[in-house]
Every structure is written in structure tokens, then in C-alpha cells.
Amino acid sequence: PAVQSAREAARRTQCANNLKQMGLAFLQHEEAYEHYPTGGWGWGWVGDPDRGFNERQPGGWIYNSLPYLEQQALHDMGKDGSEYGDPITQAKKDNQGERTKIPLSTFHCPSRRRAVAYPFGNPGQTKHGEITNFTHHDNVARSDYAANGGERDTHPGNMQIWPDNCWNGDCGPSPGAFPTKQEIEAKAQVARDFGSNGIVHALSTVRVADVRDGTSNTYMAGEKYLNPDFYTTGQDSGDNENMYCGDNGDIARWTYAEPLQDQQGFSSAIRFGSAHPGACQFVFCDGSVHTVTFSIDLVLHRRLGNRSDGEMVDLSDL
């Protein structure tokens, strides 16, 4: 037991270091572009190096953090100079599909699973991979971490960004082409009007100035809950895409449900949690990493997910 406890302590420390690196990447991105990494468009798209770092970018926060995690080459796979309305070439799809197979140890908690490619949620099926901006592969990279989406569920479907074909990859001048500038601007306004109060959501460009409750009082990202039955299968609805995709429950979670320790037989694609006994870990918007017990008061947990509710929090209650 003593050896097991020491090993778990070491794994928890590595997990905290992973979150620290993510936090630094968020802060460097905000310094460079005056907003945190965008949430992207949805699960049907992956990051595209020709489309910048704002609402034009289909990839989510993990993809947009890559240059600040010493992964510029991984970020740039598929770069070809394409713009609004341009056809998505097969070469771009192939290169961006290759990226989806490449895991990073930074995004894996060592208490849960190894940093390897895991089966896609629907192996052998085309699903959306052939009709958007990447080629489908049966084994893809995953993340054990998720950004703070706020205290209300901002899944693109709930925000009515879906089911428009545009966000499932079948829109533009012809199927499989990028949406127009006007379409993107309209969808970004829909997302803003929905009233997300977290740090990342679909088409988000949240600024540090928007964190009115204070950066030391607001979650930035944390460990996500996962059913242990599906650690390696891709059958959990919050773990069935690749980690370079746009906003969805694979890479964003919300605080209206309490965090939980991973438990067999129960799946939940909305909440934070971990494989650690007793607690999970979060990086806050000031870059600090904190341990949050599973017994945290749900009201406090919700407040820490809301960047601007004006409510006081006491971090000693974590």
C-alpha cells in the first residue's frame, strides 16, 4: 500500500504539471491574440493551420494551444494557404487526418491511461471524417482534460449551431468546402447570444477582461470524467472523437454537475472528474493548479465555472 500510494502521488504530480503547461499555453495565447483559445466549430471538424486563431478556426482549444506547447510542426500539418470558400483538398484532409493519430503525453493523466492512439468511436465507419477537413482513421489521439465551458451546457447542439449542415461538414459553395465569412460571423453571434459564462465554447473568443470574477477564482481547464469501461474503446460519448476537433464533450465540460471519480458502469459526457482517489485537479485562469475534492459544494463548483457571476468564492472550501 505504501508503494502504491507513493506511485499515485507521483502520477498526481505529473497530472498537475500537465495542467500547468496547459494553463501557460492559454495565457500565452491570450497575450498573443487578446483572447483565450477558441472552442472551434464542433466535432465534425479539426484544426486548420490556414485559418488563424479566432472564430474562423474550426479546431478547438487543444489544437490552438499546440504552438505554445512546443508543437508548432504538429499544428501546421495540412497548411496550404487556403481561404474562405476554398475547396478542401485531399492533401489537406490527409495531412490533418494524420495529425489526429498523434497523441501527446501532456494530455494524458498517468493515473488513467497511456498516451497512445485509441479506437475511434465507430471503427470502420466513415462517419464525418471524409466530408469535412480531415481523413478518417480508426485510431486517434485523445485527451484526459477538458476546458471550462461554464455552468450551463454550451455543447454546439444546445446552442443551435447544429444541426445546420455547415457544422457537420457539408456546407459552403459545395459539400466539404469551408463556410463563408458571413456564415461564420452569424454563427459566432448565435454563440454569444446563448450566454456562455465559461472560458471556452464553440466559436469563442473570451478575453481575460471577460473574467470579471477574477482569474484566481475561475476554472480554466481540468480533468474530465470518464467511465473506466471505455478508457480504451472510444465508446464513451465524451471520449469518442479525436482531441484536435472542435467544441464538444470530448474537450469541454461544465460545472452544473458535481465532479466524480471515474466509476465503472456510469458514463457522463458533461462533468469533470478523474481517476485519482478523492479529488480531481484544475488549472485556474491565473495559471495556478488546485486540487478539488469530489465533495466540493455544488454551488461553489458552479461559481468557479462561471467567469462573471459576481459571487464570492472561498478556495479553502475546495
Side-chain angles (χ1 to χ4, degrees):
V3 172
Q4 292 174 351
S5 178
R7 288 174 175 172
E8 169 55 22
R11 291 191 292 263
R12 191 185 297 236
T13 297
Q14 181 57 53
C15 181
N17 288 337
N18 290 345
L19 284 162
K20 185 69 173 179
Q21 293 304 309
M22 293 174 215
L24 291 173
F26 264 80
L27 295 176
Q28 290 174 328
H29 185 289
E30 204 282 336
E31 182 177 359
Y33 297 102
E34 299 184 345
H35 62 81
Y36 296 118
T38 182
W41 294 353
W43 50 254
W45 300 83
V46 297
D48 187 309
D50 292 307
R51 300 189 63 79
F53 291 86
N54 56 19
E55 64 270 14
R56 296 176 56 241
Q57 175 55 245
W61 70 272
I62 293 177
Y63 171 74
N64 289 289
S65 297
L66 291 177
Y68 306 102
L69 295 168
E70 300 183 349
Q71 296 292 335
Q72 187 71 52
L74 187 60
H75 174 275
D76 288 349
M77 292 177 70
K79 192 176 183 68
D80 66 4
S82 57
E83 256 297 338
Y84 286 112
D86 287 351
I88 305 171
T89 66
Q90 190 60 49
K92 177 181 281 288
K93 289 183 181 181
D94 291 345
N95 282 317
Q96 293 180 164
E98 286 298 309
R99 185 200 304 123
T100 67
K101 300 190 296 182
I102 301 174
L104 296 175
S105 60
T106 302
F107 292 95
H108 281 271
C109 172
S111 292
R112 178 178 283 162
R113 55 186 175 181
R114 296 183 302 129
V116 300
Y118 291 99
F120 183 69
N122 293 281
Q125 296 183 18
T126 300
K127 202 177 179 183
H128 45 265
E130 299 298 335
I131 63 170
T132 59
N133 65 339
F134 68 105
T135 298
H136 163 82
H137 291 285
D138 285 347
N139 293 286
V140 296
R142 295 250 162 70
S143 171
D144 288 329
Y145 305 95
N148 169 28
E151 66 167 338
R152 58 184 310 207
D153 192 336
T154 53
H155 186 284
N158 294 341
M159 299 169 79
Q160 297 183 355
I161 292 175
W162 290 345
D164 288 6
N165 288 342
C166 189
W167 308 102
N168 291 325
D170 185 15
C171 66
S174 61
F178 285 121
T180 65
K181 181 178 181 180
Q182 291 73 25
E183 288 174 316
I184 292 172
E185 291 174 347
K187 292 298 182 181
Q189 187 60 51
V190 169
R192 288 190 291 269
D193 290 344
F194 187 81
S196 167
N197 51 37
I199 301 303
V200 167
H201 59 79
L203 292 93
S204 62
T205 51
V206 176
R207 304 167 300 161
V208 68
D210 296 324
V211 187
R212 293 194 290 273
D213 286 354
T215 57
S216 62
N217 296 319
T218 308
Y219 293 144
M220 179 181 286
E223 298 182 80
K224 74 179 189 182
Y225 175 85
L226 185 59
N227 183 343
D229 297 332
F230 304 134
Y231 278 174
T232 62
T233 68
Q235 295 303 306
D236 191 300
S237 62
D239 195 57
N240 60 343
E241 309 295 342
N242 71 85
M243 72 178 187
Y244 305 108
C245 67
D247 191 64
N248 75 107
D250 277 43
I251 61 171
R253 296 293 171 98
W254 301 273
T255 62
Y256 65 89
E258 69 276 8
L260 293 176
Q261 184 174 1
D262 295 354
Q263 50 190 274
Q264 291 182 313
F266 177 70
S267 296
S268 175
I270 62 170
R271 71 183 71 231
F272 291 97
S274 78
H276 306 300
C280 58
Q281 299 182 105
F282 287 82
V283 60
F284 282 55
C285 288
D286 63 352
S288 62
V289 177
H290 297 269
T291 297
V292 174
T293 64
F294 296 129
S295 61
I296 185 175
D297 180 75
L298 182 55
V299 173
L300 174 58
H301 185 55
R302 293 181 70 130
R303 288 175 178 172
L304 290 168
N306 189 323
R307 66 177 188 261
S308 57
D309 62 3
E311 298 289 340
M312 298 294 293
V313 298
D314 185 351
L315 298 186
S316 65
D317 293 333
L318 295 180

